[in-house]
Amino acid sequence: MAENGIIRLLPEQVASQIAAGEVVERPASAVKELIENSLDAGARRLSLEVLGGGRALIALRDDGCGMSPADARLCLRRHATSKIHTLDDLNRLRSFGFRGEALASIASVSRLEVKTRQAQDACGVVIRALGGEVLESAECAMAPGTRVEARDLFFNTPARLKFLKSAATEQAAIIDCVQRLALANFEIGFTVTCDERLALDLPPTNALLERIRQLFGEDFARSLLAFEISTAEMTISGFASHSQLSFASARMIFTYVNQRSVRDRLLARSVSQAYAGLLPRGRYPGVILFVELPAHEVDVNVHPMKTEVRFRRSGAVFEAVYRVLRDRMANQIPHVPPLAAGQSPAKSEQQSAPTGLARNAFDQSTPSPLANFAFCAAAQTRSPDAQAKSGGLRLVVDSALPRYSEPHSSAGTFESKIAQGTSASTPPATLTRSEALVRYSELRLLGQFLAGYIVLEHDDGLLLVDQHAAHERVTFEKLRAELASGGVRVQARLVPEALELSRVGAGEVLGALPTLRALGFEVEPFGPRTIVVKGTPALFAPSEGLRLLKDLVEGVGEEGLAQNSASAFELKLKLIACHGSVRAGRALAEPEMRRLLEELDLAPFNTTCPHGRPTYIRFDLRQIERMFRR
Ligand code: ADP
Ligand code: MG
């Protein structure tokens, strides 16, 4: 047996360079580490200078606590950290850093200079290193704080260099990284210059929304809905864009766990599910989401760059995030300033539903003034009562109907607390935007446009409501509420009617009887291609119900008919709501429009139809005046 083995310990420098690859993948990852160090050092203002996309130079100056000369000499060593001493400390971690690897890694692949001074010291110290090897250290004059400068990144790792993208792309990644950090640290000032041009200038603020405005502009900030929920285990808060705004990519979704920016699949999935059905296909919302939970509930030590985390109870996190966002989405209110008091014609003409959060009022069983209204588009000239008796397309049948009480209605949520003004945790200043507690029915009705749109006036411009989309949402939510409380209400037919089917045999319908029953259709097979219909959903006129059944059976086809998963039910409800809702191209009388708007006010998710198309589009006066070049 040979004496000498083949295994050798790598020289420290080679080991460092290999390890550096994990931490410093590209210039933006070095920037992230440096900024996190400055934040950990308690800095209030940071300024970053970048040349050549970060390859030529990354320099970060902060006004943090600085380091003693001895610490400055140590800080470039691998596993040199002031932030933890034992593994146990990880469970109480309050800092971004803890591995003591960042400076060592950056140093090993660049020409590094650290200048630092503690406030109590008379002067600072400067350390220069090349490829991780300290070349010199000396006293220097400087204001308290730290400046770390990395030049010629990856000069000694040609393989890594080859993988870098263009300077413009690397620079964009740096900006993205600073934005992520700046969002979570809005009280800290940031400036970034790229190739000597000011790229970001973010003065310190005292509100997240203000930082959002600085970064992404007024329009985006205005599209946001605040949310916050606190349980014993976690706090979830942030802003989510109104469902009428969407983006082609997920780039406006920012997720944080304990203030740390993370890209987490679980959080991404909760967000996308919360918006399910509200955005057009392939579009993404803008969301700034903060999850705070005890340090021992989350493992931050699973990723070298710490951009991924592991939750101890991921199911609970998923559920809580989904729930708070979904509740918020269910109750978006159009951002329309209210008409001045007494100006609303809707109020004078009929008793309108209680103001404030409509659905709170609805969760009580007081009969609503809308309860007995019948919506009949066919016979506009007759009175609502006459229409109810004649049975047109009815929106609400009688006051005994269950109201829109989704199992997770907003009662007791953050939103309703705001409305009642009883929120214990003072909502962020931005929530004054819930002056937006305005409802479609309270805006001035100007009329109908091209038999497809309802035109409304608000103080600030015009609102066009798509009558089909609006009615579809109203119908869908009613059906869904009925389904949730035991099944869609059936109205028995006086005379059972035979219905001939073309695509699907009566045999297949037989297998789907319970599903059809839950959807409000009572049928029996009768011959190979014929069924007998004994009852249809009470929400629709009997003749309408017959047509809907046919559309449903034919539209869903054999395979889908019997499927009874929650999502299969939703699909069927959408189909029924779509086919059973007033079409564009139908003239509506004024009372019909008013009823529709009132019902829309009461429906959750009332800013989009069940397929995610908008129910209304808004034209601001400013916009209109611009078109007139005023
Ligand atoms: P970590 O952040 O994981 O501790 P780093 O390699 O990033 O490891 O930094 C090593 C140490 O250097 C830190 O623990 C901290 O004590 C010190 N340090 C780094 N940057 C700064 C800074 N900007 N201001 C003050 N101290 C710093
Ligand atoms: Mg660090």
Side-chain angles (χ1 to χ4, degrees), residues 560-584:
L561 203 54
Q563 276 175 22
N564 57 7
S565 66
S567 65
F569 264 116
E570 288 247 315
L571 269 180
K572 293 184 184 99
L573 285 188
K574 279 183 195 174
L575 196 138
I576 297 172
C578 179
H579 289 225
S581 293
V582 60
R583 296 268 142 203

Side-chain angles (χ1 to χ4, degrees), residues 19-26 29-30 33 78 101-102 105 304-305:
E22 290 187 354
V23 181
V24 190
E25 185 188 51
R26 60 193 300 187
S29 25
E33 295 295 338
R78 187 160 299 279
E101 274 182 333
S105 294
M305 288 186 271

Side-chain angles (χ1 to χ4, degrees), residues 33-34 37-38 40-41 62 64-67 71 75 77 80-83 96-104 116 146 148 306:
E33 295 295 338
L34 295 181
N37 278 347
S38 296
D40 283 346
D62 71 44
C65 65
M67 286 176 263
D71 281 348
C75 74
R77 299 268 297 274
T81 179
S82 56
K83 298 167 195 172
F96 288 112
F98 56 83
R99 291 165 187 264
E101 274 182 333
L103 284 182
T116 187
T146 304
V148 181
K306 295 168 279 186

Side-chain angles (χ1 to χ4, degrees), residues 493 495-507 509-510 513 516 520-537 542-555 561:
R493 298 181 66 87
V495 187
E497 181 116 359
L499 191 67
E500 194 150 350
L501 303 171
S502 55
R503 276 184 53 212
V504 179
V509 172
L510 189 62
L513 288 183
L516 287 172
F521 297 101
E522 211 158 307
V523 298
E524 278 172 17
F526 185 83
R529 292 233 164 261
T530 311
I531 53 176
V532 172
V533 184
K534 297 191 148 176
T536 51
S543 59
E544 202 77 30
L546 220 53
R547 182 176 65 82
L548 286 175
L549 176 59
K550 203 164 171 158
D551 289 351
L552 179 68
V553 174
E554 307 269 329
L561 203 54

Side-chain angles (χ1 to χ4, degrees), residues 140-363:
C140 70
M142 69 180 294
T146 304
R147 182 176 187 276
V148 181
E149 165 188 302
R151 288 185 184 273
D152 299 332
L153 200 62
F154 303 127
F155 77 98
N156 54 354
T157 51
R160 176 70 49 185
L161 208 49
K162 259 196 289 191
F163 279 98
L164 288 191
K165 309 247 168 64
S166 70
T169 305
E170 295 302 336
Q171 180 180 313
I174 289 174
I175 298 290
D176 179 71
C177 155
V178 177
Q179 286 182 338
R180 279 173 198 281
L181 287 157
L183 272 175
N185 297 279
F186 54 79
E187 70 288 30
I188 311 289
F190 290 81
T191 60
V192 180
T193 60
C194 293
D195 298 321
E196 279 154 19
R197 299 236 315 264
L198 187 63
L200 281 180
D201 183 14
L202 310 169
T205 76
N206 51 20
L208 172 59
L209 193 66
E210 186 50 36
R211 179 53 52 87
I212 294 173
R213 201 173 277 131
Q214 291 173 346
L215 284 168
F216 307 118
E218 180 63 32
D219 283 352
F220 178 66
R222 274 176 57 133
S223 80
L224 296 176
L225 307 162
F227 59 86
E228 178 174 338
I229 189 169
S230 257
T231 66
E233 301 89 47
M234 65 188 110
T235 298
I236 297 166
S237 64
F239 290 94
S241 61
H242 199 266
S243 63
Q244 290 207 326
L245 183 74
S246 65
F247 300 89
S249 74
R251 78 191 153 84
M252 292 301 281
I253 301 177
F254 301 89
T255 50
Y256 298 84
V257 174
N258 290 351
Q259 300 294 304
R260 207 181 277 282
S261 167
V262 295
R263 292 171 202 274
D264 183 79
R265 265 202 230 125
L266 178 98
L267 294 179
R269 219 174 56 225
S270 330
V271 169
S272 75
Q273 289 204 6
Y275 277 87
L278 296 176
L279 301 181
R281 243 171 212 291
R283 303 287 295 181
Y284 299 81
V287 175
I288 296 106
L289 171 78
F290 292 92
V291 178
E292 299 291 322
L293 65 190
H296 61 84
E297 287 283 332
V298 51
D299 188 354
V300 291
N301 193 21
V302 293
H303 188 266
M305 288 186 271
K306 295 168 279 186
T307 53
E308 287 169 23
V309 293
R310 200 167 290 147
F311 296 104
R312 203 163 68 84
R313 287 177 304 163
S314 52
V317 176
F318 176 89
E319 181 61 27
V321 170
Y322 168 79
R323 185 53 60 215
V324 63
L325 282 176
R326 191 73 180 167
D327 278 349
R328 196 63 188 86
M329 287 305 119
N331 202 2
Q332 308 172 47
I333 297 123
H335 289 176
V336 184
L339 287 172
Q343 213 181 320
S344 162
K347 265 189 198 140
S348 54
E349 273 168 38
Q350 58 225 195
Q351 192 192 1
S352 63
T355 44
L357 271 196
R359 273 177 310 124
N360 276 349
F362 261 74
D363 290 336

